[in-house]
Amino acid sequence: MIRIKDSLRGRCHEEGINMTPLIDIVFLLLVFFMVTTSFNKNAVIDVQPPVAITAQDRRQDAILLTVSRDGRIFSGEQMLDIRSIRGHIATRDAGYDEKNVVIVADRKADTGVVVEVIDQCKLAGATGIGIAAGRPETIR
């Protein structure tokens, strides 16, 4: 039975569902899924490699460095500065004896940038450095 005196003083209130724990759990689940979700993006830049008749597929167990037409350097989605290539290669394959690097350069990329990338790879201790080339569809 509700007393009139208690209800006027605000002592009597109806019990309801406490939403705070529910909101906390939903927030924690949201954070968990945001952290554990991997985003699969395609290549960051579109590169047109040069064509070579003798091109072979040697990408397994190699670090791929991409040089764009305007001279930007990427490793996957991460944009690199020319000075950070050495540290990137050294930390990327720290446990392997051989460090293979494949440079995917656009056919209109500045040759000087590609040579600087090759130089930084050699200074990082890369044992195998290759330049990616596409295979021609038909030989004329």
Side-chain angles (χ1 to χ4, degrees), residues 52-113:
I53 297 171
T54 59
Q56 298 174 356
D57 188 11
R58 305 265 176 158
R59 289 180 291 176
Q60 52 273 50
D61 299 331
I63 300 170
L64 293 176
L65 296 178
T66 306
V67 179
S68 69
R69 181 177 296 197
D70 57 355
R72 294 180 297 159
I73 304 162
F74 292 89
S75 176
E77 297 175 1
Q78 179 184 7
M79 188 170 164
L80 299 174
D81 186 43
I82 193 72
R83 297 171 299 225
S84 64
I85 292 175
R86 192 183 323 178
H88 178 74
I89 292 173
T91 58
R92 181 89 185 267
D93 282 341
Y96 298 103
D97 293 335
E98 294 185 11
K99 295 180 185 178
N100 296 319
V101 178
V102 174
I103 300 169
V104 183
D106 193 277
R107 67 178 73 178
K108 294 189 179 179
D110 185 20
T111 308
V113 175

Side-chain angles (χ1 to χ4, degrees), residues 6-72:
D6 289 340
S7 67
L8 290 175
R9 291 185 184 154
R11 292 183 191 163
C12 182
H13 56 80
E14 291 188 30
E15 293 293 324
I17 299 174
N18 189 1
M19 296 295 287
T20 306
L22 179 66
I23 292 171
D24 288 344
I25 296 296
V26 169
F27 180 71
L28 287 174
L29 286 173
L30 177 69
V31 169
F32 173 75
F33 285 117
M34 285 175 50
V35 169
T36 59
T37 300
S38 64
F39 297 100
N40 187 9
K41 293 183 180 178
N42 293 333
V44 175
I45 55 175
D46 184 29
V47 175
Q48 300 293 326
V51 177
I53 297 171
T54 59
Q56 298 174 356
D57 188 11
R58 305 265 176 158
R59 289 180 291 176
Q60 52 273 50
D61 299 331
I63 300 170
L64 293 176
L65 296 178
T66 306
V67 179
S68 69
R69 181 177 296 197
D70 57 355
R72 294 180 297 159

